[in-house]
Amino acid sequence: MKIAEKTVVQMHYTLKSDEGAVIDSSEGREPLQYIQGMRMIVPGLEKAMVGHDVGDKFDVVVIPAEGYGEYDERMTQEVPLNVFQGVDKVEAGMAFYAQTPGGPMPIRIKSVGEKTAIIDANHELAGKNLNFAIEVVSVREATEEDLKPFDHHCCCGGHDGDHECECGGHGNKENCDGNGGCGCEHHAEHHGK
């Protein structure tokens, strides 16, 4: 069976930097499992998986725009060291979660000065090519049980622009929370959310 929308795929992978350093690998572990079309892996790799079959081995280079995005200097900020309460020594490379209005956001310490630190909210692989070596281990149709966590998407037509909610209201992708909350004015009354 070939990889297509709503197939459950197991694969082994090795991810390397452009310089050839191994960033991550499933070697010695269980294969990575995901459902094709459910945005569980970076978009560039998901596109490259389509049409492959069990036993296929291939390499994929995913550019930043289809991986973890371009590096954005605006996502760095200088903060006083006293914001890191309970941390004895703040050092470059440390990772934390910052509480934001949108929920917890991972940040890394980029550099440390005498009284301040530069924090970086970019993904650590932002701006980098992702060089994957892939081996497809198994492919099967997704069952209803597999798809259950993705079930309640009130937004018909996906997340590609303004779209109509099943209940007749209109929402848009900026307001879509991926769980059926699409900003539709009738969502709460019709779906009890």
Side-chain angles (χ1 to χ4, degrees), residues 78-126:
E78 188 171 11
V79 297
L81 289 177
N82 64 11
V83 301
F84 302 100
Q85 295 170 357
V87 179
D88 292 336
K89 188 173 182 194
V90 178
E91 296 177 336
M94 287 179 147
F96 296 91
Y97 278 92
Q99 293 304 324
T100 71
M105 172 187 274
I107 59 164
R108 280 176 299 111
I109 308 292
K110 193 171 179 181
S111 63
V112 181
E114 243 179 82
K115 295 186 177 176
T116 62
I118 305 291
I119 60 170
D120 189 347
N122 284 287
H123 188 281
E124 61 186 324
L125 296 174

